[in-house]
Amino acid sequence: MKAPIRVAVTGAAGQIGYSLLFRIASGHMFGPDQPVILQLIEIPVEKAMKALEGVAMELDDCAFPLLKDMVLTDNGETGFKDANWSLLVGARPRGPGMERADLLKGNGVIFTAQGEIIDRVAAEDARVAVVGNPANTNVMIAASKAKRLTADRFTAMVRLDQNRAQAQLAKKAGVDLTAVKDIFIYGNHSPSMYPAFAHATIDGKPAAEVINDQAYLEGDFCSTVGKRGAAIIAARGLSSAASAANALVDHVHDLMTPGAIHSVAVKSEGRYGFDPDVWAGMPVRTTTPGAYEVITDYDLSDAFSQQKLAATNQELVDERAMVADMLG
Ligand SMILES: NC(=O)c1ccc[n+]([C@@H]2O[C@H](COP(=O)([O-])OP(=O)(O)OC[C@H]3O[C@@H](n4cnc5c(N)ncnc54)[C@H](O)[C@@H]3O)[C@@H](O)[C@H]2O)c1
Ligand SMILES: O=C(O)C[C@H](O)C(=O)O
């Protein structure tokens, strides 16, 4: 029997938490032979903590053999203690009349505190995945507080965008989803992201050749993927939750699976022309469980790709400027 992995989850009583926790406890994130301990973190508000107790009761009632223990807390020091993975889902949602800058600042405060605590109390092999929006900038803030943990331990999720892009290409081409490969997301988790279709394949052939509709790929395809979050909100009245949780399962699962190639927002270090200090989506290859190398050899030198990369980079740089006083 393997030793349990400690998984801290913030926003555990929220919408995403309600889908996510059951997938972690049933073995979908870390595998069917990997026991887990869930360290569930919510805000110190009675309603949230009561809801968290209810979720924990349901987890008990699933009788998951891999779930070895649960910690329920409104305290980061307790919640992140010895965590091998910290999944930062909880964030302040955008309220009426709130500007993006207010959202950035409001969440910046949360991710400042969490980055500092994780760096201090989490496990030696600690890894962090940020989902709470604006995810790319939140992870940058959290990572900037770390003295012990290196920047590569901090990632943000663009996997939902990759999954959305894969599904859209399969639909358009009228093929099975599994026929679509090598579609990766570059840049921000926002409508400015670039789902780089130029390298995608369908049944081993270039997707652009199979679909044979460049106007669709540059137009509707990019905007449908980029604005999918808003379309879900318009349809459901709530933001995506089950698909977001599923994408986080994929994100962590693939980061724990050597050889997996997938889109992750990482510190750019100047790759693909991004500002070196922003966290941008790009393709990575998992090397050993939890570690990865960025794949740098995709050619995105064509004019359309360059324009898309420049736009999403500019948005990340602007977001960074808005929280400059919170970094470091
Ligand atoms: N990156 C992505 O692809 C993606 C996709 C979907 C949603 N999201 C984002 O994920 C976040 C969560 O979405 P949701 O639908 O679960 O929201 P939700 O409002 O249902 O739940 C969020 C939960 O987080 C808690 N919370 C807030 N601040 C916290 C803190 N400092 N510590 C611990 N818990 C805290 C809240 O009490 C709440 O229970 C949002 O920011 C949303 O925009 C990201
Ligand atoms: O778009 C949103 O605000 C929610 C989420 O980030 C999503 O992509 O579904």
Side-chain angles (χ1 to χ4, degrees):
M1 183 64 114
K2 290 181 176 175
I5 287 183
R6 290 183 175 272
V7 188
V9 181
T10 68
Q15 279 206 94
I16 294 176
Y18 194 66
S19 288
L20 176 68
L21 302 177
F22 300 86
R23 300 282 305 280
I24 301 174
S26 60
H28 288 93
M29 188 175 267
F30 296 103
D33 61 347
Q34 177 58 63
V36 293
I37 295 173
L38 288 173
Q39 306 191 162
L40 307 177
I41 308 170
E42 260 296 342
I43 49 173
V45 167
E46 198 187 337
K47 192 161 171 244
M49 290 308 293
K50 195 97 191 117
L52 187 58
E53 279 170 32
V55 176
M57 284 159 70
E58 285 205 68
L59 281 160
D60 275 338
D61 295 349
C62 291
F64 288 124
L66 293 173
L67 181 56
K68 295 304 175 196
D69 199 5
M70 279 186 272
V71 175
L72 276 57
T73 183
D74 60 11
N75 180 307
E77 308 275 339
T78 309
F80 294 119
K81 181 90 185 109
D82 298 329
N84 304 101
W85 273 92
S86 294
L87 310 180
L88 307 187
V89 178
R92 187 173 166 199
R94 195 204 294 242
M98 244 172 109
E99 298 296 332
R100 193 168 174 85
D102 300 327
L103 185 70
L104 282 158
K105 292 238 179 233
N107 280 317
V109 175
I110 294 173
F111 287 83
T112 294
Q114 292 180 349
E116 192 272 313
I117 298 173
I118 291 167
D119 190 54
R120 199 153 33 77
V121 306
E124 198 52 46
D125 68 350
R127 292 189 158 80
V128 180
V130 174
V131 173
N133 279 320
N136 299 55
T137 295
N138 289 340
V139 75
M140 175 177 64
I141 293 171
S144 82
K145 300 297 154 194
K147 297 183 176 65
R148 173 177 64 111
L149 302 172
T150 47
D152 59 296
R153 302 293 188 90
F154 291 81
T155 62
M157 187 172 93
V158 287
R159 183 57 179 265
L160 179 54
D161 311 302
Q162 178 185 310
N163 291 350
R164 287 167 170 167
Q166 184 183 1
Q168 290 299 318
L169 288 178
K171 262 198 177 50
K172 180 72 177 174
V175 297
D176 190 79
L177 190 93
T178 55
V180 179
K181 300 220 175 345
D182 294 339
I183 176 76
F184 301 117
I185 304 297
Y186 294 79
N188 205 0
H189 171 67
S190 83
S192 78
M193 80 184 74
Y194 179 33
F197 51 81
H199 303 289
T201 60
I202 296 177
D203 284 325
K205 297 190 214 63
E209 208 176 286
V210 175
I211 288 175
N212 195 22
D213 186 346
Q214 193 69 11
Y216 160 77
L217 290 169
E218 293 184 5
D220 279 358
F221 170 66
C222 287
S223 65
T224 300
V225 176
K227 295 180 187 157
R228 188 70 164 182
I232 305 277
I233 292 170
R236 243 169 60 84
L238 288 168
S239 70
S240 64
S243 56
N246 178 67
L248 184 57
V249 170
D250 289 346
H251 174 107
V252 176
H253 175 272
D254 282 3
L255 278 172
M256 295 299 280
T257 307
I261 297 179
H262 50 123
S263 309
V264 177
V266 298
K267 189 176 186 195
S268 107
E269 312 279 11
R271 297 172 184 110
Y272 292 104
F274 284 103
D275 182 285
D277 292 328
V278 300
W279 260 250
M282 54 186 76
V284 309
R285 183 186 294 103
T286 301
T287 49
T288 56
Y292 55 86
E293 61 191 10
V294 174
I295 300 174
T296 52
D297 47 8
Y298 281 112
D299 180 5
L300 294 174
S301 61
D302 64 286
F304 181 74
S305 297
Q306 285 294 304
Q307 172 219 317
K308 294 292 284 181
L309 290 173
T312 194
N313 178 56
Q314 190 57 51
E315 187 179 50
L316 288 166
V317 168
D318 291 346
E319 287 187 11
R320 185 169 192 276
M322 284 183 224
V323 299
D325 56 330
M326 295 182 167
L327 299 170

